Amino acid sequence: MSKLAEEVAALMREVAALEIMPRFRALKDGEVEEKSKGDYVTIADREAELWLTPRLEALVAGSHVLGEEAVAADPSRLRLIESDAPVWTVDPVDGTSNFIAGRETFGVMVALVRSGVTEQAWIYLPVSGDLAVAGRGGGAWWHSGGGTARLDAGHGPDDLREIVGAFNTRFMPDEWRERVESLVGCVGREANDLCSAVDYTAVARGLKDIVTYHRMMPWDHVPGSLIVREAGGVVRDMASGADYAPRKLAGPHLVARDEHSWHLVADVARRR
């Protein structure tokens, strides 16, 4: 890893140890709030983002953090993604509902964007200690149990009936939700961990073939999209066929481990 990649990875491990894991399966009364219907935040989310923000900004001159919880408090901060200055996207606890329920499928996600282009990305899974890191044009890497391996998403099955995927349709307009949900019974297996950090890394590792999304908040999708692409995968809008970019805030997007898998699913969805 580069020096910057190592420094960010160290911060993610430290914030997990200080602010996140001590609260896992130990949340107290008053430490969970509902920001909007079905959208929860915990003290771990807020404290982890507050801890990370000044430390990330100190690593790159002139940079700013675009964090999920800061935007929840001040939606105007979302305009930072339009800036040409360096921007850190931060999801302090991705999979908050899983975290609240005591499930292990949650993660910390960080990416560095300049002028609308993702340069580097990190996804850390605190329970296992696994870390995915990617640099634009430099590949994606999986750090697990003291070992490091280059991520290769590989090739998906030739038959739609053998596809393994996650279908997130909650925010899709009716037309696309119906199209995508109609695919669920056509694929081999639905496997949704309700956590972008887990789903993106699963695609990059070849453990899942596809994932669908519509609401594309930068902190949820910028890190994983670079990691998947650098592992050989595809992240693309099913309606327009355009590649995902950090300033794109809505889908319907399809994440796939390779071109073939993307077309196998997207082409069927578009014909329905």
Side-chain angles (χ1 to χ4, degrees):
M1 283 194 286
S2 68
K3 181 182 178 184
L4 180 62
E6 290 177 350
E7 289 173 331
V8 174
L11 289 177
M12 295 170 79
R13 292 186 178 105
E14 188 171 357
V15 76
L18 291 174
E19 304 291 353
I20 299 172
M21 292 308 292
R23 295 176 167 112
F24 182 46
R25 296 173 179 162
L27 289 166
K28 300 179 176 63
D29 290 344
E31 294 184 341
V32 179
E33 295 178 23
E34 193 172 18
K35 293 185 287 187
S36 60
K37 187 171 178 59
D39 187 11
Y40 294 90
V41 62
T42 73
I43 188 174
D45 298 75
R46 289 180 170 149
E47 293 299 321
E49 187 171 310
L50 287 171
W51 190 95
L52 281 170
T53 294
R55 290 165 174 84
L56 289 172
E57 291 178 342
L59 293 178
V60 176
S63 66
H64 300 282
V65 164
L66 177 61
E68 178 177 7
E69 305 315 326
V71 171
D74 178 8
S76 70
R77 288 189 63 82
L78 186 56
R79 291 198 296 267
L80 281 172
I81 200 64
E82 301 295 333
S83 171
D84 287 337
V87 175
W88 299 96
T89 69
V90 173
D91 193 338
V93 181
D94 181 64
T96 297
S97 294
N98 292 339
F99 182 80
I100 293 168
R103 295 189 290 267
E104 297 181 355
T105 43
F106 61 91
V108 184
M109 301 202 292
V110 174
L112 179 62
V113 178
R114 293 181 194 263
S115 301
V117 177
T118 312
E119 291 192 345
Q120 296 188 65
W122 299 257
I123 294 179
Y124 179 58
L125 306 178
V127 174
S128 64
D130 295 334
L131 172 74
V133 181
R136 184 165 64 95
W141 303 85
W142 185 249
H143 303 267
S144 178
T148 300
R150 186 160 188 160
L151 284 168
D152 182 353
H155 301 290
D158 292 327
D159 192 327
L160 185 66
R161 293 170 296 181
E162 296 176 7
I163 287 283
V164 175
F167 297 88
N168 299 289
T169 61
R170 178 181 171 191
F171 299 101
M172 286 184 180
D174 291 344
E175 176 189 2
W176 276 99
R177 184 175 63 252
E178 290 169 5
R179 289 179 178 184
V180 172
E181 288 180 349
S182 73
L183 293 173
V184 175
C186 302
V187 301
R189 181 164 60 90
E190 184 179 11
N192 194 343
D193 286 293
L194 303 176
C195 174
S196 294
V198 173
D199 281 337
Y200 271 107
T201 53
V203 173
R205 298 171 66 200
L207 302 178
K208 294 182 184 180
D209 301 306
I210 61 99
V211 186
T212 65
Y213 295 106
H214 183 71
R215 190 174 72 169
M216 305 297 289
M217 292 295 100
W219 46 84
D220 285 324
H221 300 286
V222 173
S225 64
L226 182 64
I227 289 167
V228 165
R229 283 175 177 159
E230 290 294 328
V234 179
V235 186
R236 201 174 284 154
D237 189 309
M238 283 190 286
S240 69
D243 287 335
Y244 167 74
R247 292 170 178 168
K248 176 76 170 176
L249 302 182
H253 278 81
L254 176 64
V255 180
R257 62 192 292 197
D258 63 351
E259 283 279 352
H260 173 75
S261 298
W262 193 90
H263 283 287
L264 188 64
V265 174
D267 290 351
V268 172
R270 286 188 286 196
R271 288 196 299 268
R272 288 180 178 254

